[in-house]
Amino acid sequence: MAIPLSYNLRNLAVRRTTTVMTALGIGLTVAVLMAVMALAEGLRTSFQATGHPLNVLVMRRGATSELTSIINRESYQTLRAKAGIARTASGEPMASLEMVTCLNLVSEENPAGMNINLRGLLPIGLTMRDLKISSGRMFQQGRREIVVGKGIASRYPAAHVGGKMKVGRNQWDVVGVFDAGRSAMNSEMLGDLNLVAAEYRRSEALSSVLIRATDEVAAQAVINDLTNDRALTVTPLLERSYYEGQMSSAAPVRFIGTLVAIVLAVGSSFAAMNTMFAAVARRSAEIGTLRVLGFSRHGILVSFLFESLMLSLLGGLLGIVLALPLNNFSTGIGSIVTFSEIVFQFQVTPRLMMIGVAFSLLMGAIGGFFPARSAARREILSALRG
């Protein structure tokens, strides 16, 4: 015979102080775990949202990022003539020669400064990307002007419309802020390719070429063609694959955060266990009475275990509430691939909430099993004497 659920709810209500403290401990553990997962999810979403599925990024063979790649203008002209490249309405090949370098920007959070990607690109490069100007205007070719991603503008005082930044040997004007959705492009600044290259005296030693293929089959054909071209010595890959490969930036943070969450989970499981053992000790007479009334050992085991699970569920829901304010919170992390900061937003998704609840129930099951078994194994007479 099963013990009514109302019995467990009443006991949790009667021991409200202990219930709240234990649930809070479990909730904090769940909140820590969810914060780490929300960080990794936000970074993953940012990288996955970057790039067009038909864009092929071409770098020097052996380069691990655009920052360490070198492509000259002669190679660019050869690449533009390749088959399978999409064309604009005017018949121009959709291939953008680009240069990537870093600027050091200072903020209150980073007084020593943080590296931010500055990308010099051709007009065709702008049409190949989904960018919207949210304030100000787009930079003009032939002028020392730059536009900054909204992620940069929100974190660095110098990156606002009307501000000035030192690029190479001169001061450049910030004329606009662009919005690239959730993509990693929000962590970059854009300017005219030829002027950016001239500032750093790199008129020939540029970084990469971005190519738009006509379709998925053509994209793979372009990749195969460039890979087998021994004269060019380049490494082509889908733009999205390039950015997804940068997920390694979140690995150290995710590892440390998960380790902290596991340590806290052990402590929370012991807290739940202590709470349930104390409940068993205080309710010894109740346990004996339940046995006299005909409730089986198995019924008592299930009842006490279920009570622990309800306690942990309460903690899991509390942890979700504590983690929800992090949703869409903007932050930045240094990339070990590009040696620059990537700005992104925490993402607390329904899937992460389900993981948080499951994690709390696991802690409740571990912390409640042994006290529940202890209650179920008590003899009737000894329980009544207790």
Side-chain angles (χ1 to χ4, degrees):
M1 185 166 55
I3 299 176
L5 177 61
S6 58
Y7 170 77
N8 303 109
L9 294 175
R10 180 182 62 82
N11 280 298
L12 290 176
V14 169
R15 298 178 289 108
R16 61 177 65 89
T17 301
T18 305
T19 298
V20 170
M21 294 302 294
T22 305
L24 181 60
I26 295 174
L28 290 174
T29 303
V30 172
V32 170
L33 179 66
M34 289 191 62
V36 175
M37 292 192 298
L39 182 150
E41 182 69 15
L43 198 58
R44 184 187 65 81
T45 301
S46 177
F47 286 136
Q48 286 188 343
T50 304
H52 191 278
L54 298 180
N55 281 355
V56 177
L57 181 65
V58 183
M59 300 183 294
R60 176 181 58 84
R61 186 167 298 171
T64 57
S65 71
E66 292 179 278
L67 196 64
T68 59
S69 173
I70 297 177
I71 295 287
N72 57 39
R73 294 180 186 270
E74 181 181 353
S75 297
Y76 169 61
Q77 294 301 328
T78 303
L79 289 168
R80 292 178 80 236
K82 290 289 185 180
I85 297 179
R87 294 180 178 271
T88 64
S90 61
E92 179 186 2
M94 299 187 73
S96 175
L97 180 62
E98 303 182 355
M99 172 185 160
V100 178
T101 186
C102 288
L103 293 185
N104 188 269
L105 297 186
V106 177
S107 68
E108 294 183 359
E109 298 177 3
N110 299 303
M114 180 64 74
N115 286 338
I116 305 298
N117 276 352
L118 169 63
R119 183 182 297 273
L121 70 172
L122 298 173
I124 188 66
L126 295 174
T127 64
M128 295 171 65
R129 293 177 168 90
D130 185 17
L131 306 177
K132 297 179 181 178
I133 295 295
S134 56
S135 63
R137 60 175 175 82
M138 182 56 72
F139 70 88
Q140 294 183 9
Q141 298 292 319
R143 293 189 177 184
R144 292 190 177 95
E145 298 175 344
I146 56 177
V147 292
V148 300
K150 68 175 184 178
I152 300 300
S154 65
R155 291 172 60 81
Y156 295 94
H160 66 275
V161 177
K164 289 184 177 294
M165 294 185 187
K166 187 174 182 181
V167 178
R169 297 162 292 176
N170 295 286
Q171 294 291 329
W172 286 42
D173 297 319
V174 179
V175 297
V177 176
F178 66 85
D179 184 357
R182 293 190 179 276
S183 79
M185 285 296 296
N186 286 322
S187 305
E188 295 190 357
M189 302 178 288
L190 309 177
D192 175 52
L193 169 66
N194 294 320
L195 287 181
V196 172
E199 288 288 0
Y200 293 94
R201 299 177 180 177
R202 290 177 53 183
S203 60
E204 289 297 326
L206 304 173
S207 300
S208 61
V209 178
L210 187 66
I211 294 173
R212 172 72 58 82
T214 55
D215 53 45
E216 293 183 359
V217 175
Q220 189 58 52
V222 168
I223 291 175
N224 294 337
D225 183 15
L226 296 178
T227 301
N228 297 326
D229 192 328
R230 296 184 179 180
L232 285 174
T233 63
V234 295
T235 297
L237 71 165
L238 291 175
E239 185 184 21
R240 287 190 172 178
S241 299
Y242 170 73
Y243 282 100
E244 288 174 3
Q246 297 182 27
M247 270 300 294
S248 57
S249 302
V253 178
R254 182 163 48 186
F255 173 76
I256 295 174
T258 304
L259 181 63
V260 171
I262 291 174
V263 173
L264 291 176
V266 173
S268 297
S269 296
F270 275 109
M273 192 179 299
N274 288 336
T275 300
M276 295 307 298
F277 267 125
V280 170
R282 286 195 301 267
R283 290 150 60 187
S284 178
E286 291 182 22
I287 295 171
T289 303
L290 290 172
R291 291 296 311 283
V292 169
L293 293 175
F295 292 102
S296 65
R297 295 179 185 272
H298 180 264
I300 293 174
L301 171 67
V302 172
S303 177
F304 274 77
L305 183 59
F306 188 72
E307 187 172 318
S308 177
L309 291 175
M310 286 194 295
L311 183 63
S312 62
L313 177 61
L314 178 62
L317 297 176
L318 180 60
I320 292 174
V321 172
L322 293 174
L324 275 177
L326 289 175
N327 193 39
N328 291 327
F329 176 77
S330 180
T331 186
I333 186 172
S335 171
I336 60 176
V337 178
T338 63
F339 307 105
S340 58
E341 185 179 63
I342 300 168
V343 179
F344 63 97
Q345 294 177 324
F346 282 75
Q347 295 295 305
V348 181
T349 63
R351 183 180 68 87
L352 297 189
M353 294 181 188
M354 293 177 62
I355 292 175
V357 170
F359 186 63
S360 67
L361 291 175
L362 177 62
M363 287 189 287
I366 294 173
F369 175 75
F370 294 104
R373 188 180 66 169
S374 174
R377 294 176 65 180
R378 289 204 167 194
E379 297 293 336
I380 296 177
L381 292 180
S382 61
L384 289 173
R385 291 195 191 98

